[in-house]
Amino acid sequence: KMFGIPHRAKVIAYTSAFSIARGVDTLFKIIKKRGYLKGKPYFLIAGSGKEKEAIIKLSKQDDRIIYAGKIPHNEIYKIYKAADVVLLPSKFEPFSRIVIEAMSMGVPVISSNTGGGKEVIKNAISGFLVNPENIDEWINAINLIIENKNLSNNFRKEFKKIVVNFSRENVFENFLNVYYR
């Protein structure tokens, strides 16, 4: 409701800076090929950066593209709660908090196989890792998640195992272990 998206609609989320390094160009290419996506999903986009005006223009041209603005970090969960899948098409990113945040909210993630997503995601087990330049791979992965509820449920079972590794307690304990070694 908050974003004006119908209750049962499928939602693809992007929550990152609008830069080439973060894959905004890949997002634009996916949006351009949205006719190949199953179920006519909505795109829920949050963030800011150089391409902000282009995102706003797209959202004015198509009511299935929603620009939510720059969301404060303590409210980003609202995007994940609305999403069926989160895209992380970064080309250069060592580790992304987005993957862990989305997983902790039970949302499948499709990430570039070149960035930090591969540190967390096991391809086709807990999400998908795809070539950031191959738009057909992105479209196929999105369609698999949108069409197959069992796949998303299987991913969610893996999320619980993954997310616990990144809890405040475990991260602190691991940091101390590295320090003492």
Side-chain angles (χ1 to χ4, degrees), residues 115-132:
K118 66 183 178 182
E119 292 182 42
V120 180
I121 296 171
K122 293 178 186 170
N123 192 37
I125 295 171
S126 59
F128 286 114
L129 296 169
V130 297
N131 180 327

Side-chain angles (χ1 to χ4, degrees), residues 148-165:
N148 191 337
K149 189 166 180 68
N150 288 334
L151 181 64
S152 292
N153 289 336
N154 290 340
F155 286 174
R156 284 184 189 96
K157 290 175 188 172
E158 291 296 315
F159 296 167
K160 293 175 185 171
K161 299 174 194 173
I162 294 167
V163 171
V164 74
N165 292 328

Side-chain angles (χ1 to χ4, degrees), residues 60-156:
K60 289 179 179 175
Q61 294 171 349
D62 187 333
D63 65 348
R64 289 184 178 271
I65 300 170
I66 297 159
Y67 174 57
K70 184 172 167 81
I71 305 288
H73 186 259
N74 65 340
E75 294 183 20
I76 200 71
Y77 72 91
K78 295 174 183 176
I79 299 290
Y80 299 133
K81 192 171 181 181
D84 291 288
V85 60
V86 170
L87 304 182
L88 183 64
S90 297
K91 292 168 179 59
F92 317 104
E93 186 168 11
F95 181 83
S96 178
R97 188 177 65 218
I98 293 168
V99 176
I100 298 302
E101 290 173 343
M103 286 181 171
S104 72
M105 294 288 297
V107 184
V109 178
I110 303 170
S111 175
S112 297
N113 60 8
T114 58
K118 66 183 178 182
E119 292 182 42
V120 180
I121 296 171
K122 293 178 186 170
N123 192 37
I125 295 171
S126 59
F128 286 114
L129 296 169
V130 297
N131 180 327
E133 302 301 329
N134 188 328
I135 303 308
D136 291 335
E137 284 186 30
W138 286 93
I139 298 291
N140 289 336
I142 292 167
N143 283 336
L144 283 169
I145 290 171
I146 287 174
E147 290 182 302
N148 191 337
K149 189 166 180 68
N150 288 334
L151 181 64
S152 292
N153 289 336
N154 290 340
F155 286 174
R156 284 184 189 96

Side-chain angles (χ1 to χ4, degrees), residues 31-75:
I31 289 171
K32 188 174 183 179
K33 292 186 84 171
R34 65 189 173 275
Y36 294 97
L37 294 170
K38 306 291 183 183
K40 296 184 177 180
Y42 284 74
F43 285 84
L44 181 56
I45 303 168
S48 65
K50 293 178 183 179
E51 300 297 331
K52 178 181 172 183
E53 293 307 315
I55 298 283
I56 291 170
K57 183 178 177 183
L58 278 173
S59 69
K60 289 179 179 175
Q61 294 171 349
D62 187 333
D63 65 348
R64 289 184 178 271
I65 300 170
I66 297 159
Y67 174 57
K70 184 172 167 81
I71 305 288
H73 186 259
N74 65 340
E75 294 183 20

